[in-house]
Each structure stands twice: as C-alpha cells, then as structure tokens.
Amino acid sequence: AQKITQTQPGMFVQEKEAVTLDCTYDTSDPSYGLFWYKQPSSGEMIFLIYQGSYDQQNATEGRYSLNFQKARKSANLVISASQLGDSAMYFCAMREAGTYKYIFGTGTRLKVLA
Amino acid sequence: GAVVSQHPSWVICKSGTSVKIECRSLDFQATTMFWYRQFPKQSLMLMATSNEGSKATYEQGVEKDKFLINHASLTLSTLTVTSAHPEDSSFYICSANWRDSYEQYFGPGTRLTVT
C-alpha cells in the first residue's frame, strides 16, 4: 500500500535561516508524483512544489526546493531564508498510482521565530 | 488561473438538519472533484471522488447516505451533510482537477459547526 510519512510534528526555525521538512514515501509503482502544500491558520491549501518520479532534477520554486532522494524514497522540502509568514502547517502528498487521488502525510507545523 | 471556490466558508447548523456545501471551479472545467474532511490539527482525509455525470466513489468508512455528493456539471460539485450531528463538525475542503492534470486545485474550505 502507498504511504506518506512525516515524522516531525513540529519544527522551529529562526527567521532568515533555512529549514528542512522531512517526508518519506512508500510505493511500488514506478510512476508517481510528490507534492508539498502549505496550510496557514486560515485553512486554505497552498501548492508549493511538485516532483515527478521521472524528473531528473530536484524541483525548485523560489525559496522552496525539494530534495528528492529516489533510492531512499524521500522528498524533503527545503525552505530557504525563512520568513515569519512561513509559519504554517506543511503537508507532503503523493498522487496515488493510476488515479488522481492524493495521499497526505500527517503534516509538520512550522513556527518561524523573529 | 485554476481557482476553486467553496460556499459557504462557514456554517452553523442545528443537530438533525442538513447542510449543503458547494464547490465550484471558476476558470476551468473540472472532470474530477474531491471532498476532504479535516479535524483540528490533523491531516486531510479523502471522503469521496466525484466525476461529472456519474456517481461519487466513497472511501472506505465514509457513509454515502450521510454525505451526499452530486457533481452535476463540470464546474460544480455539492456535498450535503444529512441529519448532521455534533460529531460531523469539521473543516470540509474540496479540490478539483481536469483530465491529465497532475495537480489538484483546492478550495478555501468550509468550517461546519453542528450544535
């Protein structure tokens, strides 16, 4: 069965520092997609970054980058130069093979300290 | 582009009544819409997947007679919580995508409180 694991329930980071949020996944399908979403206290799900299983390079979107280690089945999110507005819940998700369904991890709550 | 709206953003209803939540794709035709439920400080739990013009596919453990989903058009899906009870109080989020799109686009969510 496919599974997403986020082992860090909460993280603190100093403003302007970089932070890595961990995500590991389990699937036997060679074709899959990995996503990171940010959920602030308002509840909306904000798309951050996407990595396809066949992508050769790590995805980057502005201050966000995805450290994709395929052999280790990890897809860690790196946020550089943290800002106070980055304080939120972060979810890792995987698109289920053969469908458009997502499997979500349990999330990591990030708090950026001034 | 790819905006999804939900209405209402929050609703309070009395136990035993029914409440309908709308999910609309504003600038694209959504071939598939998803409904999630999220309890405080927990992850999103997929309730059901709906395709336009066909019956919704419910996840295991989700009562289809309690959570009625209708996907009548390519831009609108509705979730009706029937005979709501306090334990149905939750944050309900919809998402949508179009054929061959790898990404789901999320609505802003609806907070339901049943008193």
Side-chain angles (χ1 to χ4, degrees):
Chain A
Q2 296 176 307
K3 189 178 179 182
I4 288 279
T5 302
Q6 294 180 256
T7 57
Q8 306 155 313
M11 290 278 288
F12 290 95
V13 64
Q14 206 66 36
E15 195 178 8
K16 300 179 185 177
E17 299 281 309
V19 64
T20 298
L21 306 183
D22 295 342
C23 173
T24 58
Y25 60 92
D26 190 20
T27 180
S28 57
D29 198 287
S31 178
Y32 51 89
L34 296 160
F35 303 79
W36 276 93
Y37 285 86
K38 172 185 177 181
Q39 188 181 42
S41 56
S42 59
E44 60 185 311
M45 294 291 284
I46 302 170
F47 167 75
L48 296 178
I49 199 164
Y50 167 79
Q51 181 86 39
S53 59
Y54 295 119
D55 293 342
Q56 295 294 315
Q57 294 190 329
N58 288 344
T60 61
E61 291 283 351
R63 294 187 299 113
Y64 304 107
S65 60
L66 198 151
N67 186 357
F68 184 43
Q69 303 277 328
K70 196 170 182 176
R72 295 184 177 182
K73 293 188 175 180
S74 73
N76 298 339
L77 176 71
V78 180
I79 305 174
S80 63
S82 296
Q83 302 171 356
L84 295 177
D86 294 334
S87 294
M89 195 75 169
Y90 288 81
F91 290 100
C92 180
M94 178 167 62
R95 188 182 66 242
E96 201 176 78
T99 75
Y100 296 110
K101 291 163 62 172
Y102 283 7
I103 301 165
F104 280 91
T106 51
T108 295
R109 184 167 297 279
L110 177 68
K111 176 71 174 176
V112 180
L113 305 173
Chain B
V3 178
V4 175
S5 70
Q6 275 184 248
H7 179 79
S9 55
W10 59 270
V11 58
I12 301 172
C13 71
K14 292 190 174 181
S15 188
T17 62
S18 295
V19 61
K20 180 184 286 187
I21 302 170
E22 291 186 348
C23 177
R24 292 182 185 273
S25 57
L26 299 185
D27 52 3
F28 67 99
Q29 293 186 324
T31 48
T32 306
M33 286 185 167
F34 305 86
W35 287 95
Y36 296 86
R37 184 175 183 177
Q38 186 180 30
F39 290 109
K41 298 186 180 181
Q42 293 190 23
S43 188
L44 280 73
M45 183 193 79
L46 180 65
M47 299 174 66
T49 303
S50 75
N51 294 293
E52 185 263 339
S54 61
K55 288 185 178 180
T57 302
Y58 291 80
E59 295 297 303
Q60 193 172 8
V62 177
E63 299 175 64
K64 60 181 67 177
D65 293 331
K66 181 165 188 61
F67 299 100
L68 301 179
I69 292 171
N70 184 277
H71 193 160
S73 75
L74 283 171
T75 59
L76 173 64
S77 176
T78 59
L79 167 67
T80 301
V81 183
T82 63
S83 187
H85 291 285
E87 56 265 31
D88 298 323
S89 298
S90 189
F91 191 58
Y92 292 88
I93 307 175
C94 74
S95 70
N97 70 355
W98 60 82
R99 201 180 309 279
D100 298 329
S101 163
Y102 63 78
E103 183 181 344
Q104 290 182 21
Y105 297 91
F106 286 84
T110 296
R111 195 163 302 279
L112 170 64
T113 301
V114 184
T115 61

